[in-house]
Amino acid sequence: MNKTLTQISEPSDGAMLSKVGRRYFLRSAGVAAATGAFILGACTEQDLVTDDTVNLGSGDIGILNYAYALEQLEAAFYTQVMATPYLNMTDMEKWILTDIRDHEIVHREFFKTALGSAAIKGLTPNFSAIDFADRRSVLGAAKLFEDTGVAAYNGAGKLIKSVDYLLIAGKIVSVEARHASAIADLINPNALEFASGQIDEMGLEHAYSPSVILSGVQPFVMDKISGKDLPR
Amino acid sequence: MNIFRILDSIQQVDGDAAGRLAHSTRRMFMNRVGSTLASAAVPTVFASIVNKAYAATPSVTDILNFALTLEYLEETFYFQANRMTNFIPAEYTLVFHQIERHETQHVTFLKSALGAAAVDRPQFDFTYGGAFPDAWTNFMTFITISAALEDTGVRAYKGQAGNLIGSPQILEYALQVHSVEARHASLVRRIIGKLKNDPMMKGWITQDKGFPPAVYKGATPESNTVHGGLDAATLSGIGSISRDNVTEAFDEPLTMEEVLAIAGPFIKKMGM
């Protein structure tokens, strides 16, 4: 049931990520639109911590760890994608997915080094819902991770106290948005998807709070992540 | 005040723009100031405007009007292109309509946020003072300008984020627009790469690749790898990842003055 990163290369049972993704986004949208009661509910759940829970911490360090956690997840995902490429991956897809893998690794290592001893541990991903042999499953998951990353950075910006950290987050979020656009365009070329779905009627892309994002990504991480001390 | 400030900024950083804009500035200045103030007060007012043009931190209103001016520029550009016949290739019409739609939404949003303080739409010259004479006849020129506008937009919003740190909700709105511009930039750049058969023209910016160069250089060029004092190119954990890839992983900001120097030649005349 619980697979570690090294076991993920086995073809999974085909549980379609698109289903997971849809469920996640519906839930996210619901939480975002709902009153604070829902968010408080999610936090209470996270308070039921065990000793193994990874606490992201508080203040700007907490936000950097939050970003570090998301980048770990993305880097592990694309590392697996390129270690076990799906059938008939085109050259263009290879270039794009390899570039993105390398960007996410740079992001991960940047936060790890910047955080130093304050960094959370290396997380163990849970990609059992993703069929790495299947193009649709992989690109669907990539889209989910990129869209989530953008919404996470967009929502975290106002929680950052340091102008320097805010600028660094800004430097990264637009690269995640460039990824999101490219992935969506691989799924449906020259259509509206490169910039739709995640953007409201005012032309503003989603911005989600850490509690919403963390509940969405938790199914993809074996470790229990707690954001209970993050700024809000 | 905001219009003056933008124009003053353009004139101080762009000598050519100064000459072209001097006439309209002077006329607007006289219209604005002359109608409301006694002539004796004018020199003092002018001096204070010039001084304020380089105040350390622009006001939120200044930043939003700066953003609105860029959004007007983009919206007008796509509005015209999308209404020409046989200009944008059929396979890309959805893409450019979608981009126009967002720019219109951004204009509407910023205007409503600014209310009476919103600047009016300037008159634009998309030939960039003659530098792009075939902007409306050559799709490659059009799409080159499109990428320049989108990448400038990304860098412009990024450059103002720190100035909005004291206004959390406005900061969030700016970030929400910022990522939409980045989505546009990514696809437009990829279309250029495809049409030019140039695999190094990617959705992300390798070193400072793109045209015109000013859009990708600046005080913190796109090729920069040092962020918050930490050089991402020398991180021990990145293994054999190339410096090119490291530069792609981070987008860089432009200052307001740098953006105005880039945008200045597109602005034929500020709105009144």
Side-chain angles (χ1 to χ4, degrees), chain A residues 92 95-96 98-111 113-114 143 146-147 150 153-164 166-175 177-186 189-196 198-207, chain B residues 91-92 94-96 98-99 101-102 105-106 109 150-151 154 158-159 161-165 168-169 171-173 175-180 182-187 189-191 194 199 202-205 220 222 224-228 230-232 235-238 241-242 244-246 248-253:
Chain A
M92 189 176 68
W95 296 332
I96 286 176
T98 304
D99 270 1
I100 297 179
R101 175 196 67 189
D102 290 351
H103 301 162
E104 307 299 6
I105 290 174
V106 172
H107 293 164
R108 180 190 70 197
E109 294 304 313
F110 182 85
F111 283 118
T113 306
K143 183 177 189 309
E146 298 298 343
D147 288 344
V150 175
Y153 280 103
N154 280 352
K158 68 179 177 190
L159 304 177
I160 298 173
K161 293 275 176 286
S162 152
V163 173
D164 293 340
L166 175 60
L167 177 59
I168 290 169
K171 290 177 180 211
I172 292 175
V173 63
S174 55
V175 174
R178 290 174 190 272
H179 294 166
S181 167
I183 295 289
D185 190 64
L186 288 181
N190 300 328
L192 304 181
E193 275 79 354
F194 76 103
S196 68
Q198 317 308 313
I199 300 169
D200 69 18
E201 285 304 306
M202 293 188 291
L204 305 178
E205 182 150 9
H206 291 166
Chain B
E91 63 261 51
Y92 302 126
L94 271 182
V95 168
F96 287 100
Q98 181 76 341
I99 295 178
R101 184 161 171 264
H102 293 147
Q105 289 168 336
H106 296 162
F109 178 75
E150 298 298 337
D151 279 330
V154 175
K158 201 187 317 296
N163 290 333
L164 292 172
I165 201 163
Q169 190 54 63
L171 168 62
E172 184 157 292
Y173 289 144
L175 290 172
Q176 291 178 279
V177 175
H178 171 244
S179 61
V180 174
R183 283 176 178 266
H184 296 168
S186 174
L187 183 50
R189 291 176 63 89
R190 289 178 56 243
I191 293 172
K194 201 181 307 174
K202 306 172 181 179
W204 22 95
I205 303 167
T220 313
E222 283 291 353
N224 173 50
T225 61
V226 181
H227 315 286
L230 182 58
D231 188 349
L235 296 168
S236 61
I238 64 171
I241 291 173
S242 71
D244 279 359
N245 282 135
V246 173
E248 292 164 357
F250 296 84
D251 281 342
E252 302 298 330

Side-chain angles (χ1 to χ4, degrees), chain A residues 27-40:
Chain A
R27 200 171 58 207
S28 297
V31 171
T35 63
F38 280 83
I39 293 165
L40 281 175

Side-chain angles (χ1 to χ4, degrees), chain B residues 3-14:
Chain B
I3 300 176
F4 291 127
R5 181 171 176 148
I6 289 169
L7 280 170
D8 289 338
S9 300
I10 293 169
Q11 290 178 343
Q12 290 197 24
V13 294
D14 181 352

Side-chain angles (χ1 to χ4, degrees), chain B residues 77-156:
Chain B
F77 180 65
Y78 297 114
F79 181 93
Q80 291 189 22
N82 284 329
R83 279 150 194 80
M84 293 168 65
T85 46
N86 301 321
F87 181 56
I88 294 177
E91 63 261 51
Y92 302 126
T93 53
L94 271 182
V95 168
F96 287 100
H97 273 99
Q98 181 76 341
I99 295 178
E100 181 196 328
R101 184 161 171 264
H102 293 147
E103 312 303 6
T104 300
Q105 289 168 336
H106 296 162
V107 165
T108 304
F109 178 75
L110 289 165
K111 278 175 78 172
S112 70
L114 280 157
V119 293
D120 287 337
R121 185 184 303 267
Q123 286 178 21
F124 296 111
D125 168 21
F126 292 105
T127 72
Y128 210 59
F132 302 126
D134 57 354
W136 298 118
T137 52
N138 183 343
F139 180 68
M140 279 313 303
T141 302
F142 165 83
I143 198 169
T144 298
I145 297 171
S146 167
L149 291 179
E150 298 298 337
D151 279 330
T152 298
V154 175
R155 301 191 69 188

